[in-house]
Amino acid sequence: MGKMNSKQASQIKNLGHAEETTFNALFGDKFHREINHSGASQDNIITDAEYKSKISSKLGRFNDFSVSLKSGKTWQFHLGQILELSDSKNITINKSTTGETHVKHSKTFFEQLEVLRNIEFWNKYLGKKSELLCYNDKQKCYTFFRMSSVTDFISKNVVWSILDTGRLKGKLTLNNKEYTILTFEYRADKKQFVLGASGGKNGFRLFEVLKEKLNYCEVFFDRKTTDSEFVFNVVKKKNITKKSKGEVGQIFFNDSFLFLCVDENIWKKIELKDL
């Protein structure tokens, strides 16, 4: 797949905001269904008492029920500087005879291993102060994990190796089979590092590993498909007015706005802007 243009990137960003807004509409009480996109606080927090009780009964107590929301086949944890693993200002970049980028990091592999086995590193770049990790399967099923259990598991169980290119690869076991799931690498086009479960369907595979190894809590919303079916929800184009009828969680869009039903027959809209 080639690089995204600005319009495609804008669409992906807006769809991400739509997912977060839908989450807050489903898991927030009627006083806490607005979403903050400024980055000054958590985007997703569970405030509905029923769901807080359900999740606590499975995963234990929480302070603020803040959530890091994931979906899709690939998960990016962080894009930018990750000085604990390598400093982009002090790396050496070479091209192989085939044009492949080779990076020599500012830290040795053994130094990097020490960092990758430290839970505080994962709390910073994956946890990001969230108490829960949630996977949205796009079939109206939300699966929750205690974030501290996730970061602890990753710090203790991933087997890391380094390739000639300088990429770090992390393996995990699923159904008694080993898979390369996590990656840390330098993106020459962006001049930044990326850390995540990227490529193929490694984000979804990480979700499967966590579900196999850790306690979790599932919340369903009128799910009509079976576990063997993989169906994407398609956001349909439709003009919405104050008089439009709707159910909580419904989403539509037109050329200018994304519309979300936050309560019975009550709609909010998000302006769509080009990046």
Side-chain angles (χ1 to χ4, degrees):
M1 182 181 292
K3 297 179 181 178
M4 289 188 294
N5 58 38
S6 60
K7 182 178 180 180
Q8 290 171 324
S10 178
Q11 290 171 336
I12 293 295
K13 182 177 181 180
N14 286 324
L15 286 174
H17 286 174
E19 278 192 43
E20 293 166 349
T21 306
T22 300
F23 180 94
N24 282 1
L26 294 172
F27 290 95
D29 58 38
K30 64 180 180 180
F31 302 108
H32 299 87
R33 285 175 177 160
E34 297 295 333
I35 186 167
N36 167 42
H37 293 308
S38 69
S41 62
Q42 295 294 334
D43 286 339
N44 300 108
I45 297 177
I46 300 170
T47 55
D48 186 281
E50 178 184 350
Y51 295 122
K52 289 169 73 173
S53 177
K54 177 180 176 66
I55 292 168
S56 292
S57 69
K58 295 277 188 178
L59 302 178
R61 293 184 178 182
F62 297 93
N63 292 320
D64 61 11
F65 287 86
S66 53
V67 178
S68 174
L69 184 62
K70 303 294 184 185
S71 65
K73 296 182 180 181
T74 182
W75 299 0
Q76 180 176 285
F77 302 156
H78 185 78
L79 175 66
Q81 282 280 18
I82 305 180
L83 296 176
E84 294 91 338
L85 294 177
S86 195
D87 184 351
S88 62
K89 296 179 181 179
N90 294 300
I91 61 175
T92 303
I93 302 174
N94 295 303
K95 290 283 186 179
S96 68
T97 54
T98 59
E100 191 174 37
T101 301
H102 286 234
V103 175
K104 184 177 180 181
H105 295 289
S106 63
K107 293 182 180 290
T108 68
F109 178 55
F110 294 103
E111 289 174 322
Q112 292 172 324
L113 276 181
E114 186 175 354
V115 171
L116 292 166
R117 290 169 179 163
N118 187 332
I119 189 174
E120 293 304 322
F121 173 81
W122 294 103
N123 287 339
K124 178 178 178 179
Y125 289 104
L126 173 57
K128 298 181 180 180
K129 299 183 180 181
S130 294
E131 291 189 317
L132 289 154
L133 174 68
C134 176
Y135 181 71
N136 171 18
D137 73 348
K138 306 293 186 70
Q139 299 182 72
K140 299 184 179 179
C141 175
Y142 292 81
T143 304
F144 294 88
F145 304 90
R146 178 177 283 273
M147 182 63 85
S148 60
S149 297
V150 173
T151 54
D152 181 68
F153 174 80
I154 289 176
S155 67
K156 292 178 179 177
N157 292 277
V158 178
V159 178
W160 291 95
S161 61
I162 187 167
L163 308 182
D164 291 340
T165 58
R167 291 185 182 89
L168 273 63
K169 295 290 186 178
K171 293 183 178 180
L172 284 166
T173 301
L174 174 64
N175 296 323
N176 298 317
K177 185 176 179 181
E178 197 171 57
Y179 293 92
T180 299
I181 295 178
L182 300 181
T183 301
F184 169 74
E185 64 180 327
Y186 181 72
R187 295 278 177 85
D189 57 331
K190 297 180 179 294
K191 296 182 179 180
Q192 297 180 95
F193 290 101
V194 63
L195 175 69
S198 55
K201 58 176 184 178
N202 284 326
F204 180 70
R205 188 165 281 152
L206 176 57
F207 163 68
E208 292 182 305
V209 171
L210 297 177
K211 199 172 178 182
E212 179 181 89
K213 307 294 185 182
L214 302 178
N215 292 332
Y216 61 89
C217 177
E218 291 181 323
V219 178
F220 298 91
F221 291 92
D222 299 323
R223 188 174 182 177
K224 298 179 180 180
T225 58
T226 64
D227 287 338
S228 62
E229 295 175 313
F230 193 74
V231 180
F232 288 97
N233 290 335
V234 178
V235 181
K236 296 181 180 179
K237 192 170 185 178
K238 182 179 179 181
N239 288 319
I240 297 295
T241 68
K242 290 182 179 180
K243 296 182 179 180
S244 297
K245 294 183 178 181
E247 298 177 358
V248 174
Q250 284 187 308
I251 300 176
F252 297 98
F253 76 99
N254 62 18
D255 292 336
S256 301
F257 296 98
L258 190 73
F259 302 98
L260 172 70
C261 185
V262 298
D263 211 332
E264 185 177 0
N265 302 332
I266 297 177
W267 295 86
K268 299 288 185 180
K269 63 183 181 181
I270 302 171
E271 187 177 2
L272 302 179
K273 297 180 179 179
D274 291 334
L275 291 178

